[in-house]
Amino acid sequence: MSRLTSLSFGLLLAAGSLVGAAPKPGPQPSKPPPTCRFALKTTQEQVLKATDDFIWDMLYWEGKFHQNSVAYNSLNGMTYDGTLLDWTTGEPTQLHTFSAASKEALAFMLYAQVIKGSKEAARFLSPDDLKAAPGIARSILSTKLQTYQNFNQTYPGFGGHLPWFTSDQQDIAPTYDWVNRVPGLDNGELLWAIYACIQALEKAPGSDKTSKELAAHWQLWLDYAAKTAPKVFYQGDGKVCAVVAIKDQSLPLDHPDQSYSCESPTSLLDDPYEGETLAYFLQLYTDLPAKEKDAIWTYKRSAGKLAKVEYSQGGVGPITVRKGFWFSSHEVWNQLELPYFDVDIVKRVFMNGERVRTCNSVVTNTPGLYASVNNSTDPATGEIQGYISPAGIPSISWQTDSYLDVVTPYGAFPVMMFDKAVGLAWWRNMVVAKKMQNKYGSTEGARIDGTGVSAIVTWDSKVLTVVSLLGGVTDLVRDKMKAENVYQDFLRITKTEYGRIFDGPLEGENVKLCLPKISIPDAELEDFTSCSA
Ligand SMILES: *[C@@H]1O[C@H](CO)[C@@H](O)[C@H](O)[C@H]1NC(C)=O
Ligand SMILES: *[C@@H]1O[C@H](CO)[C@@H](O)[C@H](O)[C@H]1NC(C)=O
Ligand SMILES: *[C@@H]1O[C@H](CO)[C@@H](O)[C@H](O)[C@H]1NC(C)=O
């Protein structure tokens, strides 16, 4: 979760690889399904050697999240945030009947890969009938479209963009704390995910008339969002809002009484992390004048958040990396969507980031990886004890506060973009701990001393990892960018912005990704009874 959206669900809680390669034939689907605690049956060495087999088992269980009405509402096609799990049984106790554009983005990325024909994505969505998966994805997208359109009719003030919303009724509505407000970051993520999905619907092998029609409808939606984005999110002087205050969500955009402003003068989206997805969208797909587009990048530069820093600790380093906000894995979400790695220096800098992410955990004797995540559950109440934003690597980050007692399997998703085997070794190292697998796959997070887990399952902590294993959607995005002649512009800006900061040699490119060396200790928790060895 980003720092921005984390604020919002804080309130809610208080109240309540590479794409493109032909899909490798996975192990036979006819093999008996893996057991719920399959991770306990594998060693780190096996994960490293038989990585594809491990992925096949993992996708089977992560997919249960989607197949059991926990992840989305089949009546309107919209995501649910996730669900709390009972501390003892691991059965769902409290469905989070709300969601946000960021979770929608993960759903679109997943469906894009299913439609594109990824066997692995199909294993997640429909393990008993892989061939049925693209049809299921298309059907959800079609239901979802209707819901998006209804929302736009009732709340035209959003201009097609989404606030945090309730999704348990046929029609979605802003959650009580997002009335007349809309976040930029999550919508930037969503726009590119829809973009990728359109490309998949249009171009997938076997794409038929219905597929192309669905693509055309979503393209209309995207065009509309592109038309409204400057008015909703852009303030002038290069400033893009992190959270927009809408005068009246029920009034159309062009109504004389309608207006938009950044929620506060400092509520700006000027980061080089996930928030950058919106900047690129405004640049490449809106009718903002060229002068304003330039101003966005000038403003980001003046904010100075894209910066270089060297990591050195415990005999590891120096390694040159991009300075983190917290260096939470969540911050590199945009790399699953936009083809940043096509720029050599960017790819090398980000690879260095994963050297540091993995080796820092080894030198600090940490049995897992850090990312902003839900805190552990209070077993007495079954409630999550707040949200941990400051989970990362403080020594190479802007934010120096930290809470480093909880690790999360999804911390490994950026490692998987460079090395699936090593990333999965870390993922395994976390999920073998007590209670870290449940009937919907991996559990959100674990205390590093083994005394607690976050007994919740969410899109962020599960599907980010799955999407990363599928290679993100960068191939689809690149293809559409090329077809629409915006790819060169993307490369030019990315080269310029990163080239300014990373203009000399990088330190540490010879360092190997580190593997976990220690385990989460057994502090006598019991596995969930619905998923025990
Ligand atoms: C959204 O609603 C507006 C105002 O009613 C309408 O003009 C526009 O076409 C709608 N957009 C889409 C994609 O349906
Ligand atoms: C933590 O909980 C919030 C609210 O339920 C959810 O939106 C988010 O996805 C969860 N996990 C992470 C890693 O942010
Ligand atoms: C996480 O929960 C623990 C209680 O188990 C608490 O002491 C700690 O302050 C919480 N951390 C954050 C960042 O909320």
Side-chain angles (χ1 to χ4, degrees), residues 215-233:
H217 281 296
W218 277 110
Q219 184 65 53
L220 280 178
W221 190 88
L222 195 66
D223 292 345
Y224 183 68
K227 201 174 106 193
T228 65
K231 179 144 194 183
V232 175
F233 294 110

Side-chain angles (χ1 to χ4, degrees), residues 146-448:
Q146 186 63 54
T147 311
Y148 275 50
Q149 285 170 345
N150 291 352
F151 179 76
N152 178 47
Q153 290 308 315
T154 315
Y155 304 102
F158 285 97
H161 305 281
L162 295 181
W164 283 72
F165 54 83
T166 54
S167 42
D168 54 339
Q169 306 294 314
Q170 186 64 40
D171 286 330
I172 60 168
T175 55
Y176 72 90
D177 55 344
W178 282 89
V179 169
N180 292 324
R181 306 171 71 211
V182 61
L185 183 148
D186 304 66
N187 280 287
E189 292 171 343
L190 175 57
L191 291 165
W192 288 108
I194 294 178
Y195 184 90
C197 219
I198 295 171
Q199 179 70 8
L201 282 166
E202 270 177 359
K203 300 284 152 58
S207 162
D208 56 9
K209 189 154 155 284
T210 359
S211 239
K212 291 199 196 311
E213 273 172 18
L214 190 54
H217 281 296
W218 277 110
Q219 184 65 53
L220 280 178
W221 190 88
L222 195 66
D223 292 345
Y224 183 68
K227 201 174 106 193
T228 65
K231 179 144 194 183
V232 175
F233 294 110
Y234 186 63
Q235 242 209 347
D237 299 329
K239 294 177 183 164
V240 179
C241 301
V243 178
V244 176
I246 306 172
K247 186 73 188 302
D248 184 343
Q249 61 190 18
S250 304
L251 292 180
L253 256 86
D254 47 11
H255 192 283
D257 295 338
Q258 183 61 292
S259 67
Y260 299 88
S261 56
C262 294
E263 188 156 81
S264 81
T266 52
S267 178
L268 297 179
L269 209 55
D270 51 12
D271 66 87
Y273 316 112
E274 320 98 304
E276 193 162 81
T277 48
L278 185 56
Y280 275 112
F281 191 77
L282 288 167
Q283 167 76 34
L284 302 176
Y285 280 102
T286 67
D287 61 2
L288 275 179
K291 192 166 77 51
E292 303 294 336
K293 290 182 176 177
D294 290 347
I296 294 178
W297 301 99
T298 311
Y299 187 85
K300 277 163 71 77
R301 247 175 258 151
S302 72
K305 295 185 181 169
L306 176 59
K308 176 163 80 173
V309 62
E310 260 150 34
Y311 175 92
S312 283
Q313 201 173 324
V316 175
I319 302 176
T320 313
V321 296
R322 180 185 68 176
K323 196 163 176 173
F325 190 79
W326 283 294
F327 219 86
S328 156
S329 295
H330 201 286
E331 290 161 22
V332 300
W333 176 314
N334 50 337
Q335 293 169 33
L336 293 171
E337 301 195 283
L338 298 172
Y340 286 96
F341 294 177
D342 293 1
V343 177
D344 183 60
I345 187 67
V346 176
K347 184 168 186 185
R348 285 166 47 210
V349 168
F350 287 163
M351 171 85 204
N352 266 5
E354 300 320 309
R355 295 185 165 101
V356 168
R357 196 183 309 283
T358 53
C359 297
N360 176 67
S361 280
V362 173
V363 301
T364 57
N365 283 317
T366 307
L369 300 173
Y370 291 114
S372 301
V373 72
N374 290 289
N375 203 347
S376 52
T377 302
D378 176 355
T381 62
E383 294 294 325
I384 294 287
Q385 305 175 89
Y387 191 76
I388 307 166
S389 289
I393 307 178
S395 65
I396 47 170
S397 298
W398 293 107
Q399 303 300 309
T400 48
D401 58 328
S402 63
Y403 184 82
L404 301 175
D405 292 350
V406 175
V407 289
T408 172
Y410 100 90
F413 94 78
V415 185
M416 294 173 194
M417 293 194 276
F418 293 96
D419 191 323
K420 286 183 188 170
V422 174
L424 283 164
W426 280 100
W427 189 90
R428 176 197 162 277
N429 205 59
M430 291 178 263
V431 307
V432 291
K434 285 281 165 62
K435 282 193 193 305
M436 281 302 287
Q437 287 180 290
N438 61 73
K439 58 192 273 197
Y440 306 119
S442 57
T443 307
E444 176 105 353
R447 300 193 76 80
I448 55 175

